[in-house]
Amino acid sequence: MDDLEDLRYEWSFGIDTEGRESRVPAVWSDSGMQTILVKAIDAEDEDSGWVERWVDVRNIEPQIEDLPEIMAVAEGQSISLSGIAWDTSSDMDELVVCWDIDPGEDTDGIGSADDDCDFVGANVTWSWQNAGVHNIVFHATDDDGARSSSTASITVLNLPPMVRIKVPSNAISGETITLDASATMDSILDKEDLTVVWDIDCSTDSDGDGIK
């Protein structure tokens, strides 16, 4: 009993303490079962031998800030988004942040449809060529495979084509002229199926639709 106040403790992670009790801080950068060893040494340098115990260090999932609401955009109009993700200090260097611009399709064939890395990094710029509501997912994955994500919905509006025509400034009666609307602008997908209709007599309602 006389040796209790003179005890010295050695811990396997490099900390020594003196006194009846030994309470030391410990932190691990990796998750999983971790081993700790401690032994007590008295004033005559007699020791208890190493005593082994185990600590189950659990991984913490990455944290993500919710994506903001996004105003509607037109077909082909680019938008730029930034995502914010963080993790414990030991996992930050290995944290992978990505954007999945088409969470309805598993483009990489790994995991689920909404965890693809279509773009790697915190920032993305993208545009949609077809009208409708499109989802985009920002997600972060740590070195243990734990993942968090945030999803935003973007309404893409269909806009009418912008007609651009080229016609000769003069014409001669009885001679054929060329009317060219090939420069008409529309989204890439819509332009493939664009139909151009010419009305060469604006004084007559030839199709009976009420518009001359």
Side-chain angles (χ1 to χ4, degrees):
M1 296 293 291
D2 293 339
D3 285 344
L4 288 177
E5 298 300 331
D6 296 323
L7 284 177
R8 179 167 55 88
Y9 292 88
E10 289 185 7
W11 295 86
S12 56
F13 40 84
I15 297 179
D16 294 354
T17 66
E18 296 180 354
R20 178 186 294 264
E21 296 182 351
S22 180
R23 301 176 185 273
V24 297
V27 61
W28 288 269
S29 58
D30 297 320
S31 61
M33 197 65 70
Q34 307 294 332
T35 302
I36 56 173
L37 300 171
V38 64
K39 64 180 176 181
I41 306 167
D42 66 16
E44 286 76 34
D45 284 334
E46 295 292 332
D47 67 68
S48 63
W50 289 108
V51 177
E52 184 177 28
R53 291 293 184 270
W54 302 270
V55 177
D56 187 7
V57 180
R58 298 184 179 181
N59 182 55
I60 297 176
E61 292 182 351
Q63 303 298 304
I64 281 185
E65 188 173 296
D66 288 339
L67 293 175
E69 292 187 7
I70 302 170
M71 295 181 62
V73 296
E75 293 172 325
Q77 180 182 348
S78 296
I79 62 170
S80 295
L81 298 173
S82 295
I84 298 175
W86 64 95
D87 206 344
T88 54
S89 58
S90 60
D91 280 351
M92 279 300 296
D93 288 342
E94 304 296 329
L95 193 66
V96 178
V97 293
C98 294
W99 296 87
D100 189 339
I101 58 172
D102 187 5
E105 181 179 356
D106 187 8
T107 55
D108 62 5
I110 302 173
S112 59
D114 63 353
D115 65 355
D116 299 329
C117 276
D118 297 324
F119 291 93
V120 178
N123 304 307
V124 67
T125 298
W126 187 250
S127 64
W128 288 265
Q129 301 301 323
N130 52 325
V133 178
H134 300 269
N135 292 325
I136 188 169
V137 179
F138 175 66
H139 57 91
T141 306
D142 67 16
D143 58 351
D144 292 300
R147 174 177 170 271
S148 297
S149 64
S150 179
T151 302
S153 295
I154 301 96
T155 299
V156 179
L157 305 174
N158 179 53
L159 295 182
M162 299 175 65
V163 177
R164 298 289 186 269
I165 59 174
K166 183 179 181 182
V167 299
S169 58
N170 297 295
I172 298 175
S173 178
E175 290 189 2
T176 300
I177 62 171
T178 300
L179 307 177
D180 183 7
S182 60
T184 294
M185 301 172 62
D186 206 344
S187 66
I188 295 174
L189 290 181
D190 283 353
K191 197 168 184 179
E192 293 177 359
D193 299 314
L194 191 64
T195 300
V196 177
V197 179
W198 294 89
D199 186 348
I200 59 175
D201 184 0
C202 299
S203 63
T204 304
D205 182 10
S206 56
D207 60 3
D209 65 355
I211 302 174
K212 294 183 178 182

